[in-house]
Amino acid sequence: MATSQRVVIIGAGIVGTNLADELVSRGWNNITVIEQGPLSMPGGSTSHAPGLVFQTNPSKTMTLFAKYTVEKLQSLEKNGQNCFNQLGGLEIATTQERLEELKRKHGYAQSWGIEAHLISPEECHKKYPGLNKSMILGGLHIPSDGLALAARATQLLIESTTKAGVRYLEHTVVTGIEQANGHVTGVTTNKGSVPADIAVSCAGFWGVEIGKMIGLKVPLLPLGHQYVKTTAVPGLVGRDVNKNINAMNAEYPILRYQDQDLYYREHGEQYGIGYYGHRPMPVNAASLGVTPEKVDEKNMPSRLEFTPEDFEPAWKATKELLPALRETEIADGFNGIFSFTPDGGSVVGQAPNLDGFYVAEAVWVTHSAGVARAVAEMLTEGRSKIDIAELEVTRFEEVQLSPEYISETSQQNFVEIYDIIHPLEPKHTPRNLRVSPFHARQREQGAFFLEVGGWERPHWYEANAELVTSLPKDWRPVDRDAWSSKFYSPIAAAEAWKTRNAVAMYDMTTFHRFEVFGPAAVDLLQRLTTSDVTKAPGAITHTLLLNRHGGVLSDIFVSRIEDDVFQIGANTATDLAYLVREARQQSKGTPSQWVQVRDVTGSTCCLGLWGPRARDVIREISADDFSNNGLPYMGVKKSGLAGISVTMFRKSFVGEHGWEIQTTPEFGQRLWDLLWQAGQSHGLVAAGRAAFNGLRLEKGIRASGSDFSSEYNPYEAGITYAIQRDKKVDFVGKAALEAASRRTPTKRLRCLTVDDGRSMVLGKEPVFRNGQVAGYVTNAAFGYTVRKPIAYAWLPKDLNEGDSVEIEYFSRKITATVVSDPLYDPQGRRLHDDGPSEKPELQKRLKALL
């Protein structure tokens, strides 16, 4: 049905035209598309894109977007010809490391529902006869990959949407975004104003400039990428390129030679070669000026002059891999501009600072229709059915939005685009952007740091290495394979043992902390969360943020500090943007509805002190009552530790008694020293994220974003403990949640343990039942207490405790069993008990262990 919402789309490339089509198909008809160039060839990245579509990606979201893009391009047809040539895709390995990487990628394909086959060197040569067979160790073949005709698809979309009533304004330059009361009202152009309720920037690498018009930092960097065409290849001269190939000038699979940063496609008698191995070539989009009125294949803003010296290594490697090309020359080349981002993902979603303004930038042809559909669903339904949290424009921390950070990390992503990257591998640079006040002490303890959100976060401490050899036999670490041993140390086992049997100290500073305050703070949180947060000050509530369809946006801890002051323990910067937007909208009412949200992560620091002897440590430095009477589980209170003002949160991520102890950064190092000295006689050690993750999974604590997302409801994800079913007031998603409670879930997040007790998996591996893919792993770690690797996986509802499954890890099947969770202390006694100080027998046993 028609809508009165006035939508202006900025950019008529493959994303903008797809978005117009997706909105038309949903009944929206008041749509204007503004394009600064000619509609026949807008001149952006779409106009020169080589069109290779390799669907499989470590990201489920990006893979599903690519899959839909293939389907959409196949559906765009005119004169018997569609816009996708399904030649298949072939990725080859010339090193053993790459061959193993293809096995991992084959696992991704199976997890995300893409048909894929690992093939032998002989099969590679059969599918691609021109290969130098002596170089090939194996390959990955995906039959549904192929070539997109992006420019043709764009023209067909313009044609069909114009007939449906979409208005296109070509040669029209956007000069400003009009707004009133925090909402978009129109788009200013060189030809006048276009009224709008919603504006969506699909401007590609010009998106940075559009973002500046509203004060939005769009974290992308335009970079030049080399592409050449050869002269006619012997053996291809004069062939009938139209025979059985959908008139698209190719008949062999699209080819990737990632060991040398190369990819290949055919152009009739010629070859097209793309190369990522050259130096990064950053471009300032503003310097390119406005797209001229006349644009052709060789003259467009996104096509820069070719630099042949940069291509020399690629040409040498190409002639080695494809001997027939030794008899050719480079006929034409250019440096085409594409958008790169700090983490390699697209930038999608509503701007945090202006309601009604959306972006869909850094989107390649491969994912174009999928992203467009997601944005259309956001506009028409309020959410994308495929979770886009990893693409959200709000996902970046403030430190990651500086021009220097965006430039350096985006260039690094260009260099590493075909590299083999471990899932835990941190950025090499920039580092030490954000460090906690405990950093100096952590370095003294030999901390091994990984990076997240610009923070340096310890994963283990070399000072604990000597503890490994003295561990009880049933706690000693098992041997791991080479891949899962990367960014891991057996020291984690010792740190886990100390946490379970004595006491350990964890740096929790990197976790997001927000403050919600004002006369309507409780009203905001009541409206947004699944639990009743009207409890008296001093209470902590673990609750959920849902969308109105019942999908889980995040899980948060709401601590009521004062009547009108709450502290939120959250997961991401996107959580902050959501809360800030909702608070802004609520505060537009009467003064009694005023509420504000601010990020206090950087103005606080936090240590987790957990273990059966945690209370003994605290008693050394405070006479305050931290027993169950003085501070029960899921309680919070302000206190003092030897003169340091702290806030004590009685909660735990590792399943042990203790607190998160929060203070301000100027007291951070003193707090560390105080706890460290008080804890030495009780066996205290510093512990890192590696131990933390294993202990967390043993306790059955799911991770927002990796274990569950907006695609799943709480009943499927097994997090109904964060729902208060008798909550009287309405909240976002309540109706959908009640409907979900009456349905039987089709899938559930289940806990698995590996049968052999030693074979590790890391996440995203496919899970098989009776030889068929049944689901995929979300998170995994070694369970130090239960002495087995643990994994969580999305599986069909009819898989029950005791059922056997297989996890495929680098083409090897690992048998696992579905088990009930949590595996450790399912009754929660360790969290609620007062600790061993109140239990002489346990105190005696712990002293003997230490």
Side-chain angles (χ1 to χ4, degrees):
M1 84 188 263
T3 174
S4 60
Q5 293 273 66
R6 298 166 298 177
V7 180
V8 173
I9 299 169
I10 303 169
I14 191 67
V15 181
T17 53
N18 258 304
L19 175 56
D21 180 69
E22 294 289 335
L23 289 173
V24 165
S25 71
R26 287 162 174 77
W28 285 34
N29 59 7
N30 198 339
I31 303 165
T32 301
V33 182
I34 299 175
E35 171 53 53
Q36 67 171 346
L39 289 177
S40 59
M41 186 173 282
S45 299
T46 300
S47 301
H48 68 71
L52 289 80
V53 176
F54 291 93
Q55 298 167 85
T56 305
N57 190 291
S59 163
K60 174 188 168 188
T61 294
M62 298 304 276
T63 300
L64 295 182
F65 282 171
K67 185 177 181 181
Y68 177 70
T69 299
V70 169
E71 295 166 359
K72 180 77 174 282
L73 291 171
Q74 288 176 314
S75 73
L76 297 175
E77 187 173 312
K78 186 175 182 180
N79 300 327
Q81 179 182 325
N82 67 34
C83 294
F84 191 77
N85 189 1
Q86 205 154 47
L87 299 160
L90 178 61
E91 303 185 36
I92 56 166
T94 59
T95 64
Q96 192 61 43
E97 292 79 10
R98 182 66 60 182
L99 189 61
E100 293 301 303
E101 173 70 359
L102 293 185
K103 292 176 183 177
R104 187 164 69 116
K105 186 172 283 189
H106 179 247
Y108 294 148
Q110 294 179 100
S111 291
W112 315 144
I114 302 291
E115 181 187 351
H117 307 279
L118 290 166
I119 61 176
S120 67
E122 293 73 23
E123 291 173 298
C124 290
H125 191 261
K126 186 176 180 180
K127 291 187 181 297
Y128 215 102
L131 289 172
N132 183 344
K133 189 177 177 181
S134 65
M135 295 175 61
I136 311 302
L137 300 181
L140 177 67
H141 179 245
I142 297 181
S144 57
D145 287 347
L147 284 173
L149 267 69
R152 182 171 186 272
T154 300
Q155 294 307 308
L156 292 185
L157 288 166
I158 291 173
E159 183 180 315
S160 64
T161 53
T162 299
K163 290 178 181 177
V166 175
R167 182 171 64 134
Y168 284 87
L169 304 177
E170 64 179 339
H171 303 301
T172 304
V173 180
V174 172
T175 58
I177 307 298
E178 300 160 20
Q179 52 186 289
N181 299 318
H183 201 287
V184 167
T185 59
V187 176
T188 307
T189 77
N190 61 333
K191 297 180 180 179
S193 176
V194 183
D197 302 302
I198 296 169
V200 188
S201 178
C202 304
F205 56 81
W206 282 291
V208 175
E209 305 308 314
I210 301 296
K212 288 178 182 177
M213 296 176 186
I214 67 161
L216 175 67
K217 299 173 183 176
V218 179
L220 68 81
L221 180 71
L223 285 163
H225 160 60
Q226 293 201 305
Y227 190 78
V228 307
K229 289 182 182 178
T230 69
T231 55
V233 179
L236 301 184
V237 176
R239 73 176 185 181
D240 183 358
V241 297
N242 295 321
K243 184 179 180 182
N244 297 323
I245 56 171
N246 207 18
M248 295 189 188
N249 298 345
E251 61 183 25
Y252 295 133
I254 55 175
L255 179 67
R256 266 180 174 168
Y257 179 21
Q258 291 166 293
D259 288 322
Q260 293 294 333
D261 300 304
L262 286 158
Y263 64 81
Y264 304 89
R265 61 156 292 182
E266 300 161 87
H267 293 277
E269 300 177 335
Q270 301 170 282
Y271 257 67
I273 308 170
Y275 183 47
Y276 288 107
H278 56 79
R279 61 188 170 88
M281 303 174 186
V283 177
N284 181 358
S287 68
L288 299 174
V290 176
T291 302
E293 291 200 10
K294 291 186 178 179
V295 173
D296 59 42
E297 186 180 331
K298 293 191 177 183
N299 296 283
M300 61 181 75
S302 59
R303 180 176 164 133
L304 305 180
E305 185 176 349
F306 184 58
T307 50
E309 66 277 8
D310 290 306
F311 196 74
E312 289 175 3
W315 190 229
K316 180 180 178 182
T318 292
K319 289 186 285 187
E320 184 179 11
L321 180 73
L322 300 167
L325 269 61
R326 296 171 187 171
E327 301 179 47
T328 67
E329 297 177 355
I330 297 173
D332 178 42
F334 64 94
N335 295 347
I337 301 176
F338 289 100
S339 299
F340 285 77
T341 61
D343 60 5
S346 299
V347 181
V348 181
Q350 186 171 196
N353 59 329
L354 181 61
D355 294 339
F357 186 88
Y358 292 78
V359 297
E361 310 290 19
V363 181
W364 291 12
V365 170
T366 299
H367 312 106
S368 54
V371 168
R373 181 180 65 175
V375 175
E377 289 172 344
M378 291 170 66
L379 299 183
T380 60
E381 304 174 33
R383 59 91 190 251
S384 165
K385 292 187 178 72
I386 295 174
D387 185 75
I388 64 161
E390 65 188 71
L391 308 182
E392 271 283 358
V393 63
T394 56
R395 70 187 183 269
F396 296 98
E397 305 291 330
E398 189 61 35
V399 71
Q400 296 174 307
L401 293 173
S402 71
E404 296 79 9
Y405 184 92
I406 293 169
S407 177
E408 184 172 351
T409 54
S410 298
Q411 290 184 59
Q412 183 178 334
N413 273 318
F414 175 89
V415 170
E416 296 177 347
I417 192 166
Y418 280 170
D419 287 2
I420 300 170
I421 306 291
H422 192 277
L424 291 177
E425 189 165 342
K427 295 184 186 304
H428 301 296
T429 180
R431 292 293 297 270
N432 294 307
L433 295 176
R434 305 168 85 184
V435 298
S436 79
F438 318 122
H439 188 71
R441 294 293 185 258
Q442 290 166 345
R443 290 176 65 87
E444 291 171 3
Q445 291 287 311
F448 178 84
F449 294 97
L450 294 180
E451 180 266 348
V452 59
W455 284 106
E456 296 296 318
R457 186 162 66 182
H459 271 240
W460 65 82
Y461 294 85
E462 290 295 332
N464 297 325
E466 62 184 19
L467 297 175
V468 177
T469 55
S470 59
L471 284 173
K473 185 177 180 181
D474 58 351
W475 274 85
R476 290 174 189 166
V478 299
D479 292 335
R480 294 190 179 207
D481 66 283
W483 184 252
S484 67
S485 293
K486 288 177 177 287
F487 308 104
Y488 162 80
S489 170
I491 294 171
E495 295 174 0
W497 182 84
K498 279 283 191 174
T499 308
R500 289 279 185 253
N501 293 283
V503 59
M505 194 161 64
Y506 292 82
D507 186 355
M508 304 296 287
T509 303
T510 62
F511 283 63
H512 290 80
R513 293 177 295 281
F514 314 141
E515 191 172 83
V516 179
F517 61 98
V522 69
D523 297 332
L524 176 73
L525 295 171
Q526 282 288 83
R527 181 169 62 83
L528 298 182
T529 70
T530 57
S531 306
D532 185 355
V533 298
T534 62
K535 302 166 188 172
I540 303 173
T541 305
H542 188 194
T543 186
L544 305 176
L545 300 174
L546 305 180
N547 61 30
R548 62 186 179 88
H549 300 271
V552 185
L553 298 177
S554 189
D555 70 316
I556 60 173
F557 288 87
V558 178
S559 301
R560 195 167 195 178
I561 308 298
E562 300 172 13
D563 283 341
D564 293 341
V565 180
F566 295 80
Q567 182 168 304
I568 310 299
N571 293 293
T572 66
T574 297
D575 293 343
L576 176 64
Y578 174 67
L579 292 171
V580 168
R581 178 182 293 113
E582 292 293 330
R584 182 173 67 235
Q585 292 174 349
Q586 180 170 305
S587 297
K588 290 178 181 178
T590 63
S592 64
Q593 288 300 298
W594 179 84
V595 59
Q596 280 198 325
V597 180
R598 63 173 181 167
D599 187 354
V600 296
T601 309
S603 59
T604 55
C605 59
C606 186
L607 287 171
L609 184 73
W610 293 308
R613 303 202 69 168
R615 176 157 289 126
D616 294 320
V617 176
I618 289 296
R619 280 181 168 169
E620 298 274 351
I621 53 177
S622 177
D624 203 345
D625 183 6
F626 295 113
S627 69
N628 282 343
N629 292 327
L631 184 60
Y633 181 62
M634 294 300 279
V636 56
K637 76 174 182 179
K638 292 183 181 295
S639 184
L641 299 179
I644 302 174
S645 296
V646 297
T647 306
M648 306 285 287
F649 299 81
R650 176 92 182 268
K651 62 189 182 79
S652 171
F653 287 96
V654 298
E656 294 297 335
H657 175 89
W659 310 268
E660 289 183 16
I661 307 172
Q662 181 179 299
T663 189
T664 48
E666 70 265 35
F667 296 116
Q669 184 166 299
R670 186 175 164 213
L671 176 64
W672 175 288
D673 291 344
L674 189 68
L675 293 172
W676 185 260
Q677 291 162 12
Q680 291 311 293
S681 62
H682 303 289
L684 175 71
V685 298
R689 190 72 177 184
F692 180 97
N693 284 337
L695 299 173
R696 175 182 66 82
L697 284 190
E698 288 182 334
K699 189 56 184 167
I701 299 175
R702 279 89 159 138
S704 177
S706 53
D707 285 321
F708 56 85
S709 69
S710 63
E711 295 178 24
Y712 306 104
N713 66 53
Y715 296 97
E716 295 168 323
I719 49 176
T720 53
Y721 55 78
I723 298 171
Q724 192 166 331
R725 291 181 175 85
D726 61 352
K727 183 175 180 178
K728 303 301 182 186
V729 300
D730 195 17
F731 57 86
V732 176
K734 183 178 183 180
L737 194 60
E738 290 174 346
S741 71
R742 296 188 292 268
R743 297 192 303 267
T744 301
T746 59
K747 64 189 77 171
R748 291 184 294 174
L749 185 65
R750 303 307 304 267
C751 183
L752 309 175
T753 56
V754 173
D755 289 1
D756 65 17
R758 62 179 184 278
S759 295
M760 288 298 303
V761 297
L762 296 180
K764 302 186 178 182
E765 295 88 357
V767 180
F768 291 77
R769 176 177 62 171
N770 300 326
Q772 300 296 315
V773 177
Y776 63 91
V777 172
T778 59
N779 255 316
F782 191 84
Y784 300 101
T785 316
V786 300
R787 301 301 302 153
K788 290 181 179 180
I790 305 167
Y792 276 79
W794 282 104
L795 295 171
K797 64 178 178 61
D798 58 343
L799 270 169
N800 298 305
E801 282 84 3
D803 288 347
S804 183
V805 295
E806 291 181 309
I807 306 171
E808 185 175 293
Y809 179 74
F810 288 91
S811 296
R812 180 170 66 91
K813 294 291 199 304
I814 297 171
T815 304
T817 300
V818 181
V819 295
S820 62
D821 68 311
L823 297 170
Y824 178 75
D825 188 27
Q827 288 78 36
R829 294 192 181 98
R830 306 276 285 201
L831 296 171
H832 292 86
D833 282 353
D834 260 340
S837 301
E838 315 303 325
K839 300 177 181 180
E841 288 300 319
L842 182 56
Q843 178 87 316
K844 183 177 179 181
R845 183 175 67 84
L846 288 175
K847 284 184 177 179
L849 281 170
L850 294 169

